[in-house]
Structure formats: C-alpha cells, structure tokens
C-alpha cells in the first residue's frame, strides 16, 4: 500500500528551470564558455556542485567549484526574488494537499540546495505538508546516484521502500529511483526536453486530474 510519496522539486513542484537557465547562462557568459543545448540538457537532475564539476571537466575553467556555485547561486537568488510569474506546477498544490489529507507522508528529495528549497517552500507555504526535506547538497554525487532517495525513504514513518513512490521529471531522477529500488511516477510536462521516461513505472502529463485514490490505485496495480 502507498504510504509515502517522495517529491522532486524542480520541474515537479515548481518550474524554476527558466530561472536556473538564466543564472547558468549568465555565469557561462562571465566565464567565457559556450555551453551547447545538448550539454546543458545533460545536467538536468544534477546538483549545482556536480554541474560545475562537469563544467570543469569539459571547459578550461580555473575557479574552484565552491566559488562557481556561490556565484551561480547569487545570480539565481537575484532573479528568483524579482520574478513575479514564478508559480507552482499546475495541479500540484491540490495533489500535495490531498495526499496530506489522506495521511500519506510527503518527503522532498531534491537536488536543489537547501537555500533554494527554503526559498520555494517559504514562498509557496509548503512546509506544513512535508515531514522531511532531503537536499542534494548533502551528498557527494547527484542523481542518478540513488543516495538521495535511499536517505529519503529511510526517514519515512513506514520504513519500507515497498510502500514508497517517487515523483520525478528527469532521466537522472528516474534512474536514481530505479537504482534505489523505489517505484517511480514520471511527470512528463510540456517543459520536459530530451528526458527518458522508459524506466518509470507509469507516466502522467498533468497533475490536474490526478487524485490520491487514482494514485493509490495505480501504485497497487504495479
């Protein structure tokens, strides 16, 4: 039976990708490097730290990863705080509230930094619905490494991965859930680009009509 849902954040709860993209490419311009769309897309689901580790492998960037992360974060925060049209993914608030009301535990397992997570959760008042928040900045490797989801599942009140479901929108996130041995719902939005949903247990393209009873039924049918 479904007892715990582990949500990714970026692309699942809120679409901060345009803000991240602006911050990254502003920084790439400052660094004097040209990052192609294919390379940028391959970073989807990675933490900022791991993204810059990849950047340093691909480009002659001399700055330390920690300094690169801080600069990108400053660019992101400045844009985030001034972007009035940043909204939750359509239908996701109702899904979160409804699952919470059905006594299904909600945990966040996001590659985002703690500061970004707190900005989003404060802005949209999401803290009351989640029992735990697990940030990718606490792990040496990003998704598709399964550590973040293994840790999230271990925090659940019902400490059994068989009763957990991950909701993810990226190839790396889905692979991480697979590697963790946790069932995964792939959220394929209109903003999803070049992501592979073939190993998700099931896929939805909208949260608008997804009710807890439907989610429970889908989970039990797996």
């Amino acid at each position: 039976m479904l007892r715990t849902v582990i949500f990714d954040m970026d692309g699942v709860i809120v679409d901060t990708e345009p803000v991240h993209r602006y911050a990254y490419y502003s920084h790439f311009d400052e660094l004097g490097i040209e990052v192609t769309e294919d390379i940028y897309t391959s970073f989807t689901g990675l933490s900022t730290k791991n993204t810059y580790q990849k950047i340093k492998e691909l480009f002659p960037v001399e700055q330390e990863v920690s300094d690169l992360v801080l600069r990108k974060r400053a660019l992101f925060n400045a844009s985030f705080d001034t972007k009035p049209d940043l909204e939750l993914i359509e239908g996701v608030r109702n899904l979160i509230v409804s699952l919470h009301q059905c006594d299904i535990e909600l945990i966040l397992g996001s590659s985002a930094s703690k500061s970004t997570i707190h900005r989003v959760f404060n802005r949209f008042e999401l803290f009351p619905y989640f029992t735990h928040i697990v940030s990718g900045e606490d792990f040496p490797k990003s998704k598709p490494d399964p550590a973040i989801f293994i840790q999230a599942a271990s925090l659940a009140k019902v400490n059994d991965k068989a009763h957990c479901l991950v909701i993810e929108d990226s190839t790396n996130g889905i692979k991480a859930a697979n590697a963790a041995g946790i069932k995964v719902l792939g959220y394929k939005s209109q903003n999803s680009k070049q992501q592979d949903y073939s190993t998700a247990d099931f896929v939805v393209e909208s949260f608008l009509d997804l009710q807890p009873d439907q989610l429970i039924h889908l989970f039990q049918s797996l």
Side-chain angles (χ1 to χ4, degrees):
M1 183 174 178
L2 180 61
R3 301 299 300 273
T4 306
V5 175
I6 302 170
F7 278 83
D8 178 39
M9 188 178 76
D10 284 335
V12 172
I13 292 178
V14 64
D15 185 14
T16 56
E17 170 53 26
V19 189
H20 282 293
R21 185 185 185 88
Y22 168 80
Y24 272 122
Y25 274 95
S26 295
H27 196 198
F28 297 158
D29 286 344
E30 289 179 0
L31 295 170
I33 59 176
E34 294 186 11
V35 178
T36 66
E37 188 66 28
D38 284 345
I39 292 174
Y40 183 76
T41 300
S42 73
F43 299 150
T44 303
L46 298 184
S47 68
T48 306
K49 181 176 75 173
N50 288 142
T51 294
Y52 279 109
Q53 286 171 342
K54 293 285 187 183
I55 287 290
K56 284 177 66 68
E57 292 171 8
L58 296 169
F59 299 95
V61 174
E62 295 182 359
Q63 290 95 323
E64 295 294 329
V65 168
S66 58
D67 294 329
L68 295 167
V69 169
L70 286 175
R71 177 55 182 156
K72 184 267 178 178
R73 191 171 293 165
L75 291 165
F76 174 88
N77 289 344
S79 180
F80 183 95
D81 290 340
T82 58
K83 190 171 176 55
D85 59 339
L86 186 66
E87 297 292 344
L88 294 180
I89 298 292
E90 196 171 22
V92 78
R93 178 178 288 280
N94 183 64
L95 179 60
I96 288 170
V97 172
S98 298
L99 287 169
H100 184 261
Q101 290 173 340
C102 289
D103 239 4
I104 293 175
E105 185 177 14
L106 307 182
I107 297 175
L108 189 79
S110 170
S111 295
S113 67
K114 291 174 186 174
S115 64
T116 298
I117 291 169
H118 279 254
R119 281 174 180 272
V120 171
F121 271 52
N122 279 326
R123 179 163 176 168
F124 297 107
E125 300 178 337
L126 296 175
F127 281 112
Y129 304 107
F130 288 77
T131 58
H132 299 282
I133 290 173
V134 184
S135 165
E137 75 176 32
D138 290 330
F139 301 89
K141 295 181 180 179
S142 285
K143 305 168 187 176
D145 187 274
I148 190 169
F149 290 140
I150 292 172
Q151 173 69 8
S154 75
L155 297 171
K157 294 172 186 174
V158 178
N159 190 359
D160 186 340
K161 291 188 291 186
H163 297 289
C164 288
L165 176 71
V166 168
I167 301 181
E168 262 288 354
D169 71 314
S170 72
T171 303
N172 287 329
I174 291 168
K175 286 182 177 179
N178 296 155
I182 304 174
K183 295 182 177 69
V184 56
L185 180 157
Y187 172 56
K188 186 178 182 180
S189 73
Q190 293 181 344
N191 297 322
S192 301
K193 296 179 181 179
Q194 300 178 36
Q195 301 303 301
D196 180 8
Y197 298 89
S198 62
T199 62
D201 292 284
F202 49 94
V203 178
V204 300
E205 296 185 5
S206 172
F207 292 131
L208 284 173
D209 300 320
L210 188 61
Q211 299 299 320
D213 58 342
Q214 294 172 299
L215 195 59
I216 291 167
H217 177 74
L218 285 168
F219 183 85
Q220 291 175 334
S221 68
L222 296 174

